[in-house]
Amino acid sequence: MASYEDVIERIDHLVGERPGTVIIAFLLVTALLTAGLGNVSTESGTSQFTSGSPAQEALNDVDRVFGQSFSEDVASTQLIQRDQNVLAKPALLRLLRAEEELASRESLRVQSASSVADTVALLIDPQADTYAEKIDAVEGATPAEIDAAVRRAAESPGFASSLSDDFNSQAASASATVAVVTHQVPGAGGSSAGTSGGSSPVSTIQQRVEATLDRQGARDITVFGSGILSAEFANVIMDSLLIVVPAAALLILVFLVFSYRDPFDLLLGVVSLVMAIIWTFGFMGVAGIPFSQMLIAVPPLLLAVGIDFGIHAVNRYREERTEGHGVVESMEIATDQLLVAFFIVTGTTVLGFLANLTSSLGPIRDFGVVAAIGITFTVLIFGIFLPAAKVYTDLWRERNGIRQFGTQPLGGEGSITGKFLGYPVLIARKAPYIFLIVMVLSTTVVAGYGTGVSTSFNQEDFLPPEDTPAWLEDLPEPFAPHEYQVTGTLNFLEDNFNSIGGSSVTMYVRGPLRQDSALESMHHAAYDPPSSFITEDDSRYADTQSIVGVIDSYADQNAEFRALVARNDIDDDGIPDDNLGLIYDRLLDSPYHDQARQYISHDQRGAKVVYSAESSATQAEVVADAEVVEDRYRLTATATGQAVVFEYITDSILDSALTSLAVALLLTALFLVFCYWLFERRPTLGLVNLFPIVLTVAFIAATMRYFDIPLNALTATILSISIGLGVDYSAHIVHRFGDEYRKRDLYDAIEVAVRGTGGSLTGSMLTTVTGIGVLVLAITPILGQFGAVTGLSILLSYLMSVIVTPSAMAVWGHAVERYEAA
């Protein structure tokens, strides 16, 4: 079996002696993977995280079991009307005419509509069956007749739920209302938001609804629904890419010019970056991994890391060129050292990303895999292709007498960087023990503070802000973003509608529902609800939707059924507690069959109870209160719903962050110990390599808490990623130190290692921070937070590496020398 020296020698031979062959081979692979770009699909929104979770599976069971309203071929659109008084005649007429217009459009496949305008019209004229008749009824009514109809309608519990919180039944006024239009849409897929981008059947229908109402001039009506939400999720991905990638490329180009200072080297660097992006995205297409909002972070990451590798390769080559070596010899010396360092850096970085495979959340696992593959491709391109292309072009320039530019390496003795790097070396000479003790003690305090970092997962993380920044609106095409309305609409619903804007909890009840106490159990569970649950007017019962409510509604409409319920209500509390099977059968044979099937299963062994929660209540409060109510049921009850699902994801995010951090630390430590045993026969150098990065992780967590940046779906990866990326800086220093320590004394080896690699590290840090930090320009908050935290983690890793590592190497050297002397 070939040793690592043999492998490096073969690569040296290919790079130095057959650079043209290497270039052609890499270009062929690029051409092959380019074909995979066309297969890259998109996935957006929160459904990508909730899919497969136990809480979501329970919710899926509820949706599958209860009623035709959840059929895959039905989608609903909300019409949000805002006016000084939506219960006044003009507003009622505008809403009815909007419904009429939508119903008349065959392409909109309208199945039914429900609104306060419909209810008021029917109370004025119970015989009004068509929209024309309803419009005539309202148009012919006096304001007093309309107000009287509103007051009668308010006696029905469901009427107020579609009106804003400022609804006043006596004054017959409200500032907003929500109408619901249902569509028959084949292939709607349950109309879940964020699953298929903006071209889904539901998105298409709802966009047509918007266009129809715009043409009609219904300016007071906003169209909202899962399709609109899905379309905006998809638009956010493309808009963010169009802003982030060019901005990253432009800023990195500036640093490339500074770092390379040669047009040919600049061109080679840019070509290598493009190849890294093509290889990574081509692999995604071949592997069938969809492009999600989380993966927007990958291109800037690869650009930044690619420049990092490129600067190290070119800078190390230039060091040898200044010593008088030829092109091939200089590159062979550079690659002899850098390939080992690149292997160490790539191994730790890949382990940091792959540690996210421990997450229970699919998108985080996909992010880890794609980033790890991308980093591997990047090191191959910048570790083999770029050196070969550099050798090829420099030999060609020598033959043709073309001048070389920017031949001096970064971080020389007299440079600003060189002067800064001298101070950590001085500390390592004078007081390394005291310095490390101070760093360890301060890190312990900082780590304790960092344990208080919060965790969150909500839909708003993936949506653009309500108010688009002015600078984004001024961008020219094609960079100008779409006009976004969903966040503003969601905020409006949350602020003005308790039952709509707030969350809800679905209780999935299983057991013999024909048992006499079944309905009483449901009713008693709602008594004296926890503080986050909405109560019914003038009642101590929670506001619920259940089979009990359907029984009450049908009893109000049918005297025979009302008598049946009364005969079987032994304790006379309005809830039947005898012959429940007969009551269910009569109800399911009635016109209320569809409503009943929404709350009771076909075999009458499952029921659904929906509790409305206050819009001001936090997700954690709602879920905690749901668990309290869940325990009140005599039958088996499971709380689910969006709030419960999202809280489960929040808990999973924290578990994912801690688990991936522990895995990354362990695997990285083992890998570094192995590498330094293999390459240097000094395994403990691996721990020296890892030491400054452990300090960095503590400071990152504390910084996130200080700036109130939570661990969310994307930032949860930062702790493990910071280990992978951060080891890059200390690895170059420690590996260079190991080489130099063979031929110099301890302090000279430290100084050469720090000064020799410090310039490259500074340049790569600036490009990496810039390339990843540019994500703060992304439209969605989650990407901006990830960019800020990742950029900060890179800066901290760099500072810890150049400041702490010299003292750590000095202490390590003292221990080794004492051990060897003994």
Side-chain angles (χ1 to χ4, degrees), residues 114-127:
S114 174
S115 70
V116 293
D118 291 304
T119 302
V120 171
L122 287 171
L123 285 172
I124 294 171
D125 181 4
Q127 304 304 315

Side-chain angles (χ1 to χ4, degrees), residues 157-180:
F159 183 77
S161 64
S162 61
L163 290 165
S164 52
D165 297 339
D166 59 2
F167 168 54
N168 186 320
S169 60
Q170 292 306 309
S173 67
S175 61
T177 185
V178 177
V180 178

Side-chain angles (χ1 to χ4, degrees), residues 510-548:
R510 296 180 299 281
L513 295 183
R514 290 173 176 259
Q515 182 177 303
D516 291 345
S517 61
L519 296 184
E520 290 281 6
S521 172
M522 292 184 200
H523 185 61
H524 289 158
Y527 180 72
D528 193 19
S531 58
S532 70
F533 282 26
I534 297 174
T535 57
E536 295 177 348
D537 294 336
D538 303 322
S539 167
R540 295 191 63 182
Y541 284 88
D543 179 17
T544 63
Q545 301 170 47
S546 70
I547 190 65
V548 175

Side-chain angles (χ1 to χ4, degrees), residues 3-22:
S3 66
Y4 80 89
E5 290 96 343
D6 294 334
V7 174
I8 291 176
E9 186 176 340
R10 290 174 187 173
I11 295 174
D12 285 344
H13 174 74
L14 287 172
V15 169
E17 306 297 333
R18 304 184 65 185
T21 303
V22 173

Side-chain angles (χ1 to χ4, degrees), residues 3-269:
S3 66
Y4 80 89
E5 290 96 343
D6 294 334
V7 174
I8 291 176
E9 186 176 340
R10 290 174 187 173
I11 295 174
D12 285 344
H13 174 74
L14 287 172
V15 169
E17 306 297 333
R18 304 184 65 185
T21 303
V22 173
I23 293 171
I24 291 173
F26 273 76
L27 292 177
L28 286 174
V29 174
T30 303
L32 290 173
L33 287 174
T34 300
L37 296 177
N39 296 326
V40 179
S41 60
T42 62
E43 185 176 53
S44 58
T46 57
S47 60
Q48 56 185 310
F49 292 90
T50 61
S51 178
S53 69
Q56 182 64 47
E57 292 299 327
L59 185 58
N60 292 343
D61 287 342
V62 171
D63 288 348
R64 186 186 69 253
V65 169
F66 298 102
Q68 297 176 352
S69 296
F70 298 93
S71 133
E72 291 192 352
D73 289 338
V74 175
S76 63
T77 299
Q78 292 178 317
L79 306 181
I80 305 168
Q81 185 182 35
R82 308 177 215 189
D83 196 83
Q84 186 173 358
N85 183 10
V86 294
L87 297 174
K89 179 190 289 190
L92 293 172
L93 288 173
R94 284 196 299 274
L95 185 54
L96 285 171
R97 286 175 178 138
E99 292 179 37
E100 181 184 37
E101 180 67 19
L102 298 179
S104 68
R105 301 277 177 172
E106 189 174 333
S107 61
L108 299 182
R109 302 174 179 269
V110 173
Q111 190 179 58
S112 64
S114 174
S115 70
V116 293
D118 291 304
T119 302
V120 171
L122 287 171
L123 285 172
I124 294 171
D125 181 4
Q127 304 304 315
D129 292 327
T130 66
Y131 280 110
E133 291 171 344
K134 293 177 183 177
I135 291 171
D136 288 342
V138 173
E139 205 161 28
T142 65
E145 289 173 331
I146 291 175
D147 290 350
V150 169
R151 284 190 282 271
R152 289 203 308 277
E155 296 173 3
S156 172
F159 183 77
S161 64
S162 61
L163 290 165
S164 52
D165 297 339
D166 59 2
F167 168 54
N168 186 320
S169 60
Q170 292 306 309
S173 67
S175 61
T177 185
V178 177
V180 178
V181 178
T182 59
H183 312 268
Q184 190 74 26
V185 187
S191 66
S192 60
T195 57
S196 58
S199 60
S200 70
V202 181
S203 297
T204 302
I205 286 286
Q206 291 177 350
Q207 287 164 351
R208 288 174 183 169
V209 170
E210 277 190 309
T212 300
L213 295 183
D214 282 344
R215 286 193 299 269
Q216 191 190 34
R219 305 300 179 193
D220 61 334
I221 297 176
T222 301
V223 179
F224 185 65
S226 62
I228 299 293
L229 187 62
S230 178
E232 291 208 3
F233 274 136
N235 289 338
V236 161
I237 291 180
M238 297 310 301
D239 286 347
S240 294
L241 281 174
L242 284 172
I243 294 171
V244 166
V245 174
L250 179 62
L251 290 172
I252 287 176
L253 184 62
V254 173
F255 284 108
L256 277 175
V257 172
F258 167 75
S259 301
Y260 288 150
R261 291 158 289 148
D262 183 286
F264 287 88
D265 291 349
L266 178 64
L267 178 62
L268 292 178

